Amino acid sequence: MGILATRLHVSRYRSFDEFTLELASGVNILVGRNAVGKTNLVEGLQLLTAGASFRKPAPIELVREGCASGAATLVLEGDGRLLDMGLEVTEGKRHFLKNGKRTNAAGVRGVLPSVLFCPDHLDMVKRGARVRRDALDSFGVQLNAQYGKLLSAYERTVEQRNNLLKECVDPALLEVWDESLAGTGASLLMHRRALLARIRERVVETYRVIAPHECPDVAYQSTIGDLPESREEIVEQFLAVLAERRAEELRRGMTLVGPHRDEILFTIDGRSARDFGSQGQQRSFVLAWKLAEVQVTNDILGRYPLLLLDDVMSELDGARRDAIMGFISGGIQTVITTTNLGYFGSDVLEHAKVVHIGDEE
């Protein structure tokens, strides 16, 4: 069955003084009223598997109010391995640990990837392009360490190049940074394109299960134009576009083309899902994307991720809730938070581990 999360323990973390969550290998349902800490536990699981939180908190925000420090640990077991992932927050700084030794966020990624689906994600289709880029990139860095390195290098290059553009530097110096931007950008584009092709295939399959009479599609729209096949050709095209936009970039003091400005297009029957899709269609698209991430993880790594569903059941109608539950019935370790067990059928509850959150805190 691969690697599973078996125990999460938090200490002076968020709303908890001390709490231990034992996890089953199948469906785990955390039930309780609002504001009792269910989402905090999901965040802890995400931090210790993905190395990041969807909330993007400052370190001090992870510590229980009135405490000087906080910690969380997650035990992973499977494939003959036993691993302890840890998080410590002291003196306003966050540190990750792997088997007791300090590491960085990249050090906890990839062992057990996680896929999170929360209410904020339901607006993924209709929000700005950055949201969709971030969704693709945050997924990619969990599956491939090189993806994360390229993304960080590209973001640093954009920041440094922007600083130069604001100073109206010597064109010869800017050309050096153009080469760096085009080189790292081309490599990042190759990774994005390959990953999106896998996701697209799974999105189309999953969406058609939810809405069989609709034809969805996903496409990458680059600010440097239609992407050639080879990295060398992408670099050449990237440099040509930078040269064309040079005067405008100098005037505005920013880099106007590249992966940081690209779009991921969602369409239904050839029409923009953002502009023309109903709320139900847009939510179906996001659901299909998240379930595609689960499938692609298994396609690439040969094992399923930990699926985290934070309070989405109340936001979805019965058909989409049934689609989720039908999908995860195939043996995917899942943690679901809810205020209402009525969203789940007796067949689900019979086989799930139900944990009541609130009374023990």
Side-chain angles (χ1 to χ4, degrees):
M1 190 165 186
I3 297 176
L4 298 172
T6 58
R7 183 186 312 110
L8 172 70
H9 178 76
V10 296
S11 176
R12 303 177 305 283
Y13 169 80
R14 291 284 193 182
S15 58
F16 294 93
D17 184 25
E18 297 278 343
F19 190 85
T20 299
L21 175 65
E22 302 285 348
L23 295 163
S25 60
V27 176
N28 299 266
I29 302 175
L30 312 185
V31 59
R33 65 189 185 280
N34 289 324
V36 297
K38 303 185 299 298
T39 297
N40 294 339
L41 295 175
V42 167
E43 179 189 42
L45 290 168
Q46 188 188 32
L47 278 166
L48 293 170
T49 52
S53 162
F54 67 102
R55 289 167 159 170
K56 297 178 173 57
I60 192 63
E61 294 177 295
L62 298 172
V63 178
R64 183 174 172 87
E65 187 175 355
C67 297
S69 63
T73 57
L74 179 65
V75 178
L76 305 179
E77 297 183 52
D79 294 340
R81 305 167 69 186
L82 177 63
L83 298 168
D84 288 322
M85 300 299 188
L87 172 70
E88 293 179 344
V89 182
T90 56
E91 298 179 346
K93 296 182 179 180
R94 184 181 71 180
H95 304 285
F96 287 100
L97 301 97
K98 187 175 181 179
N99 289 337
K101 297 181 180 179
R102 279 197 178 182
T103 184
N104 53 21
V108 302
R109 293 188 198 123
V111 180
L112 176 62
S114 60
V115 170
L116 172 76
F117 186 18
C118 69
D120 285 349
H121 292 150
L122 290 167
D123 291 333
M124 176 179 166
V125 175
K126 60 186 179 183
R127 292 173 67 187
R130 182 173 182 173
V131 173
R132 290 177 287 282
R133 291 194 304 267
D134 287 350
L136 181 64
D137 289 339
S138 62
F139 179 52
V141 300
Q142 288 197 75
L143 303 182
N144 186 318
Q146 183 62 20
Y147 195 123
K149 292 176 182 177
L150 282 171
L151 181 63
S152 295
Y154 179 77
E155 289 174 342
R156 288 195 302 271
T157 302
V158 170
E159 181 179 2
Q160 292 166 338
R161 188 174 182 272
N162 284 346
N163 289 335
L164 289 173
L165 286 167
K166 292 171 185 174
E167 296 171 3
C168 297
V169 297
D170 181 351
L173 179 58
L174 195 55
E175 286 177 5
V176 174
W177 284 98
D178 287 355
E179 293 282 351
S180 178
L181 185 77
T184 55
S187 296
L188 178 58
L189 285 168
M190 295 286 285
H191 278 69
R192 274 189 182 173
R193 181 168 62 183
L195 181 58
L196 189 64
R198 286 180 176 269
I199 292 178
R200 175 196 172 276
E201 180 180 357
R202 292 299 193 174
V203 165
V204 170
E205 291 175 359
T206 305
Y207 189 98
R208 285 178 173 170
V209 172
I210 303 169
H213 303 298
E214 297 174 2
C215 184
D217 205 355
V218 181
Y220 194 86
Q221 187 177 64
S222 174
T223 46
I224 68 168
D226 294 338
L227 296 178
E229 286 302 312
S230 72
R231 178 184 179 277
E232 291 73 19
E233 290 174 313
I234 294 175
V235 170
E236 183 179 349
Q237 182 168 311
F238 204 145
L239 288 171
V241 175
L242 286 173
E244 291 173 4
R245 303 290 294 275
R246 175 63 51 82
E248 185 181 1
E249 288 189 331
L250 285 168
R251 186 173 66 254
R252 297 180 60 180
M254 67 176 66
T255 303
L256 299 175
V257 296
H260 65 295
R261 308 275 290 195
D262 291 351
E263 174 65 283
I264 297 171
L265 300 174
F266 295 163
T267 59
I268 301 171
D269 298 330
R271 290 158 56 92
S272 167
R274 181 183 184 185
D275 297 330
F276 300 103
S278 67
Q279 178 172 288
Q281 288 174 319
Q282 292 177 352
R283 291 189 167 197
S284 291
F285 228 123
V286 178
L287 173 57
W289 177 281
K290 287 298 176 180
L291 298 184
E293 287 185 355
V294 175
Q295 294 169 305
V296 170
T297 301
N298 187 50
D299 292 341
I300 294 175
L301 302 181
R303 60 184 185 274
Y304 286 112
L306 174 65
L307 179 57
L308 306 171
L309 304 175
D310 184 38
D311 196 31
V312 292
M313 292 303 185
S314 61
E315 302 287 339
L316 299 173
D317 59 23
R320 292 176 180 84
R321 288 198 295 267
D322 289 345
I324 289 179
M325 299 313 299
F327 180 83
I328 65 179
S329 64
I332 299 167
Q333 187 178 30
T334 306
V335 177
I336 307 172
T337 69
T338 185
T339 58
N340 182 7
L341 290 178
Y343 294 132
F344 306 93
S346 57
D347 55 331
V348 172
L349 295 175
E350 182 180 349
H351 296 96
K353 178 173 183 176
V354 178
V355 180
H356 291 268
I357 306 294
D359 297 338
E360 302 89 349
E361 296 174 38

